[in-house]
Each structure stands twice: as C-alpha cells, then as structure tokens.
C-alpha cells in the first residue's frame, strides 16, 4: 500500500546506452546531411565572411550600408539619365521652334517667287498701260513689295521669337541682304510701271527680281531644311539615347540587385549555417548524444556560442557518466540492501506469528497487542522493501516481463477482493463496473495486478467513510484503459506530474503517515514497460481518477 505521490521538479534526461547513442548520432548526422544539401556552407565567399574578425552586428551594419550605397548609386544614375533626357527634350523643343520659324520664312520666300512668276510672262510684257491686265499686274507687284517688306523683320530675333545660333545667323544675314536687293528691284519695277520705262528695261528688272527671289528662296530652303535635318537627327538621337540609357539603367539596377542579393545570401548563410549546426548539436545533446562537437569557424558571437556549446557538451557528458554510475550503484545498493533486509525481517515476522498463536505458551492481552503491532509494522516494512526492490530492478533494467494472454476481468476482480475488507472497515464501498467488450489481453499478469492493487489501495486509503471507489474498463484507439475513481480529497493540478516520482507525496499522503511514495512511481514504470501510459484527472475536493492504458495487443 502506498500513498498518493506527486512529482515535483523537472525529470532528468537519462544517458543513452552505446546502441542508442550511435542511433542518435546517425539521426543527427542525417539531419545535418540533409541541411548541407540545401545550404551552401562550403561556398568560398561564405567562408571568407565567416572568417572575418567582426561581430555580427558589424557585419549586418556593413551589409545595410552597402545595400544603401547601391540604392543611392542606382538613384543617382537614374537622375543623371533623367537629366540627360530632359536636356534632349529641351534641345528638341528649341529645334522645333526654329524649324517652324524657318519653315514660315521658307513659305514666305516661295510665295514671293510665285507672285513674281505671275507677271514674268511674254504676254504681260507686251500689255499696254491702258490694257485690261494692267490693274491686276500692278496689284501683284504691290503684293510682292509688301511680302518682301515682311521678310526683313522675320529674320531678326524679335520676329523669330528666339535668338538664332551663329550658324543660322550667317544664313539670316544673307537672306536679309538678298531681301534688301530684291526690295530695291521691286521698288524700281513698281516705279517703272508709269509707262515711261522701256519694255527692255522692265524685262531686265523682272529678270533680276526673279533671280533674287530664287536665291532668297534657296537660302530660306537651305536654312529650313538644315534645321529640319537637325531636328530629325535629334529625334533619332533621342530614340537611340533613350534605348541606350534604358538598357544601361536596367543593367546597373540589375547589377545592384544581384550584388545586394549576393551580399545578403553570403551574409545570411554565414549566420544560418552555424546556427543550423549548433541546433543539430543541441538536438543531439537533448537526445542524450554527447559524442560529437560542433565545428564553427566564425570569429564572432556565433563562434563563441559554438565554443560554449562544446564546453557544455563535454561537461554534460562528464556529469551524465557520473550520474549513470551513481544511479547504477544506487540500484545495486538498494537491491542488495532489500535482499539483506528481508532475511532478518522474515525471521521477525515468523517468530512473532509463533508467539501470537501461543505455540510456546499463552500470552496475555497486552502481549498480544504488542505482537499485533510488531506483525503490522513488519508486514508494512516488507511491502516497502518489496517496492524498493522492484523499483531498483526496473531502474537497473533487470525486470523482464512475462508477456502472455490473461483475463483482465479476473485480475480486476482479484484486486477488488484484496482491498474489500479494508474498505469495509473504513466504510468505503468498492465496485467494479461490468466488463463487456474487454476480457483477455496480453501482458504480464502479475505486474498488471500489482498496478491495479496499488491504485485501489491508494483510492481506499484516501476515501473518507461513506465514500466510494469505482473501477471501470474501456477500449479505444487500440488501447485498453483501466480507471480507478475515488471520492477522496482530490489532487491539486500542480501535483499531477510530481506524484509519479519516487518518494513524492501530497499533503494528504504525508498526513496519513503511511507509505513512502513509491507505489505510483513503480506503477508508472511497470505500465511504461508494457508500452503504455498512466495519468490522473483530479481537482481538490472533487475526488480523483487514476487511469492507465496499455496496448490492446
């Protein structure tokens, strides 16, 4: 019989045996191998960054500053390209303005030439002053004079609307000179039309005017065509420059992005690679494998962390070896001491029974009372020794289960029968729910019966008079579950794990002053040897339900 126990503290990890350590090492190596397939930790650039004697935040700062500089460089280049494009647009606008003005000048000179051609015909030259065509011819000559007069202002900046460049100014000076000559000749033609001028002289003047108009138109045409050609050249240059600038900008931006990605790639893997290897080593340590070291070449905080992990690994390996030896010695000592203690204890119990039965003479009432106390204490001590011996054998790996089919219903019925007398004396009712779907299971019958008896003994011991203890069985998800429910004081949530540790008891168990807190610890290990589990559901003041589950087959 044992008390409700509760487990405090964090349970210590157990060191692995040689086969388990080798398996854990192989698993860790497999994990590291898989990670190396996707991590370029052997890259030359990554190794170079790893060996830099700088802290992590310094490397990150360098990466951020470098990325910012590349962004600034791309932005500056983009502004330069945009400025060049704006300059070309402005230049093109000026050329288009000049082309429009020169085109108008060319149109005016062509118009003058056409007007002169209307009066430069043989029929006109033979017409008399009083002829019907005279008024029309005079109007044409006057129109020519007016048109020629407009050419002059149109060649100056005020008339053009802009200041012409030096190369255009040379043409404009020639145009002004020709216009001046043409204006003089036209004036003479108009003045000679009073009838006094000879036809030959007028013919000479008109030929002179016609030639000057042709020269004037030629100069205007050359100026307009030259400006148009320059405009078309600038347009073509703009298209070519735009394409070239666009490709250059895309190339620079792409290069900056590639460099930034490469920098981020190298820096990230110089950090991620060591972190993954440290994580793999810590996972191996957590599984009980202390045989390896993590190899980190970083000369920064990660390198220092790896060195500390290796030191922790070595220290834990040393401590676990010492703990393993201490645990083995403890188990051996308990096993030996339990065996040695049972021999004199059996003698005490045997002789006490002989005296109590009066085989060597009658004993009085007081002596009988003392003998009952000796027997009760002796049996309690024997049960305690048996629990210690069983627990030490389990911890030492010396317990081999005798697995076979047995009737779980009969096992539960025997357990109920074993505690029924004590329950009746304490005013506690013990019931076993009907076992319908579960009967024959596979396991070690003696060990399962021991677990059932421990749970029932605790339930009866902590259930007050008038209370009830119930046993039920269920099968679900490939498990057979046995539950023992009582109406006792209940167990606090914080004690649900602690009670399954050795020598741990709740306050109620301590007040009972019975047991030493080994029953639930032994039950837990026996259930786990069957590949099962055990747990408790309880609240203070609402009783407790202890359940253990073992595989159905």
């Amino acid at each position: 019989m044992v008390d409700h126990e509760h487990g405090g503290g964090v349970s210590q990890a157990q060191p692995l045996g040689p086969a388990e350590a080798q398996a854990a090492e192989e698993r860790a190596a497999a994990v590291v191998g898989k990670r190396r397939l996707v991590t370029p930790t052997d890259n030359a650039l990554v190794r170079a960054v790893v060996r830099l004697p700088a802290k992590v935040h310094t490397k990150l700062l360098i990466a951020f500053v470098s990325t910012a500089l590349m962004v600034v460089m791309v932005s500056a280049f983009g502004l330069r390209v945009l400025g060049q494009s704006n300059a070309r647009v402005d230049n093109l606008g000026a050329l288009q303005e000049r082309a429009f003005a020169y085109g108008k000048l060319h149109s005016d000179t062509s118009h003058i030439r056409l007007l002169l051609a209307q009066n430069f015909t043989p029929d006109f030259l033979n017409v008399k002053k009083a002829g019907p065509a005279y008024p029309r011819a005079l109007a044409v000559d006057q129109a020519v004079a007016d048109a020629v007069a407009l050419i002059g202002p149109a060649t100056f900046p005020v008339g053009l609307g802009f200041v012409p460049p030096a190369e255009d100014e040379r043409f404009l000076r020639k145009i002004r000179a020709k216009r001046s000559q043409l204006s003089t000749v036209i004036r003479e033609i108009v003045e000679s039309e009073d009838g006094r001028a000879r036809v030959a002289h007028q013919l000479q003047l008109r030929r002179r005017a016609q030639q000057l108009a042709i020269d004037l138109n030629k100069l205007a045409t050359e100026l307009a065509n030259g400006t148009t050609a320059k405009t078309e050249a600038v347009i073509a240059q703009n298209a070519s420059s735009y394409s070239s600038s666009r490709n250059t900008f895309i190339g620079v931006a792409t290069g900056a992005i590639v460099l930034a990605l490469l920098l981020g790639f190298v820096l990230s893997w110089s950090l991620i690679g060591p972190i993954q290897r440290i994580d793999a080593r810590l996972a191996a340590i957590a599984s009980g494998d202390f045989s390896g070291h993590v190899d980190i070449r970083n000369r920064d905080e990660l390198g220092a962390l790896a060195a500390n992990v290796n030191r922790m690994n070595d220290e834990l390996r040393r401590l676990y070896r010492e703990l393993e030896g201490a645990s083995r010695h403890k188990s051996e000592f308990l096993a030996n001491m339990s065996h040695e203690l049972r021999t004199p204890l059996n003698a005490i119990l045997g002789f006490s029974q002989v005296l109590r039965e009066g085989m060597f003479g009658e004993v009085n009432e007081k002596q009988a009372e003392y003998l009952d106390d000796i027997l009760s204490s002796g049996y309690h001590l024997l049960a305690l020794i048996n629990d210690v011996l069983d627990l030490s054998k389990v911890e030492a790996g010396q317990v081999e289960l005798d697995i076979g089919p047995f009737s779980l219903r009969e096992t539960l019925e025997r357990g109920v029968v074993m505690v029924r007398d004590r329950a009746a004396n304490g005013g506690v009712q013990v019931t076993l729910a009907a076992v319908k779907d579960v009967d024959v299971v596979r396991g070690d019958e003696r060990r399962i019966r021991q677990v059932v008896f421990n749970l029932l003994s605790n339930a009866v011991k902590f259930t007050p008079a008038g209370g009830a203890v119930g046993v039920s069985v269920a099968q679900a998800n490939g498990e057979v579950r046995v539950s023992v429910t009582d109406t006792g004081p209940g167990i606090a949530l914080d004690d649900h794990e602690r009670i399954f540790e050795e020598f741990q008891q709740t306050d109620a168990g301590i007040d009972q002053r019975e047991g030493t807190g080994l029953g639930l610890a032994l039950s837990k290990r026996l259930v786990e040897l069957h590949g099962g589990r055990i747990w408790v559901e309880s609240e203070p003041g609402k009783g407790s339900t202890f359940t253990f589950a073992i595989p159905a087959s």
Side-chain angles (χ1 to χ4, degrees), residues 202-263:
Q202 194 175 67
L203 179 60
Q204 183 181 4
L205 289 175
R206 289 189 178 278
R207 284 177 177 171
R208 175 64 178 162
Q210 185 71 19
Q211 185 61 46
L212 289 173
I214 291 173
D215 293 342
L216 183 64
N217 181 251
K218 183 178 180 181
L219 288 171
T221 300
E222 188 175 352
L223 179 61
N225 290 342
T227 305
T228 301
K230 289 180 181 178
T231 302
E232 292 175 352
V234 170
I235 292 175
Q237 182 184 7
N238 280 352
S240 176
S241 298
Y242 170 76
S243 178
S244 176
S245 299
R246 179 195 61 195
N247 294 337
T248 304
F249 180 78
I250 291 175
V252 172
T254 302
I257 292 174
V258 170
L259 288 176
L261 291 176
L262 179 62
L263 181 62

Side-chain angles (χ1 to χ4, degrees), residues 252-535:
V252 172
T254 302
I257 292 174
V258 170
L259 288 176
L261 291 176
L262 179 62
L263 181 62
F265 169 82
V266 171
L267 182 62
S268 63
W269 279 115
S270 69
L271 303 177
I272 293 174
I275 291 174
Q276 287 182 336
R277 291 196 291 274
I278 292 174
D279 178 64
R281 182 88 286 273
L282 289 175
I285 291 174
S287 65
D289 174 21
F290 309 104
S291 60
H293 275 176
V294 57
D295 182 19
I296 302 297
R297 300 180 181 179
N298 288 50
R299 300 170 68 181
D300 51 26
E301 292 90 340
L302 291 177
L305 177 61
N308 289 331
V309 169
N310 290 333
R311 283 195 292 271
M312 179 187 70
N313 178 86
D314 295 340
E315 182 64 17
L316 286 176
R317 178 170 54 190
R318 183 185 66 81
L319 292 175
Y320 269 55
R321 285 177 178 174
E322 292 180 359
L323 288 174
E324 186 178 23
S327 178
R328 184 177 62 256
H329 293 321
K330 180 202 71 173
S331 299
E332 293 175 354
F333 171 77
L334 290 176
N336 292 333
M337 286 301 297
S338 299
H339 178 72
E340 295 298 328
L341 288 173
R342 280 195 298 183
T343 300
L345 184 58
N346 286 330
I348 293 173
L349 291 174
F351 287 122
S352 298
Q353 289 175 344
V354 169
L355 293 175
R356 182 66 179 85
E357 293 174 0
M359 296 179 63
F360 294 98
E362 293 292 332
V363 294
N364 58 38
E365 183 178 351
K366 197 65 174 178
Q367 291 172 335
E369 181 181 351
Y370 288 156
L371 288 173
D372 289 337
D373 290 341
I374 292 173
L375 287 172
S376 176
S377 298
Y379 284 124
H380 177 70
L381 182 58
L382 182 60
L384 174 62
I385 293 173
N386 289 333
D387 287 343
V388 171
L389 181 60
D390 288 339
L391 188 60
S392 63
K393 286 182 178 180
V394 171
E395 291 181 348
Q398 297 176 357
V399 173
E400 294 184 3
L401 299 179
D402 183 13
I403 301 296
F406 67 94
S407 174
L408 181 60
R409 178 178 55 80
E410 293 182 1
T411 299
L412 296 178
E413 288 175 351
R414 290 179 184 178
V416 170
V417 170
M418 292 175 66
V419 299
R420 183 160 288 165
D421 289 341
R422 180 178 179 179
N425 294 334
V428 177
Q429 182 181 4
V430 180
T431 59
L432 172 62
V435 181
K436 298 180 179 179
D437 300 331
V438 181
D439 187 8
V440 178
V441 297
R442 289 187 58 83
D444 189 324
E445 181 182 6
R446 186 172 70 87
R447 297 301 183 182
I448 295 299
R449 187 167 61 248
Q450 187 176 359
V451 173
V452 172
F453 178 73
N454 282 338
L455 296 181
L456 284 171
S457 297
N458 279 343
V460 170
K461 179 171 61 176
F462 287 99
T463 300
V469 173
V471 183
S472 62
V473 183
Q475 183 170 349
N477 300 324
E479 292 181 330
V480 175
R481 298 180 181 180
V482 177
S483 298
V484 177
T485 303
D486 62 56
T487 57
I491 303 171
L493 180 63
D494 294 339
D495 293 337
H496 284 190
E497 296 293 334
R498 189 171 68 87
I499 58 175
F500 291 101
E501 298 298 326
E502 298 90 339
F503 304 106
Q504 298 294 330
Q505 294 177 286
T506 63
D507 294 338
I510 295 174
D511 293 340
Q512 288 280 346
R513 297 184 180 180
E514 292 185 27
T516 57
L518 290 177
L520 288 180
L522 179 59
S523 298
K524 180 175 183 291
R525 282 156 177 76
L526 292 177
V527 170
E528 290 175 348
L529 283 177
H530 282 80
R533 55 199 177 97
I534 187 171
W535 67 94

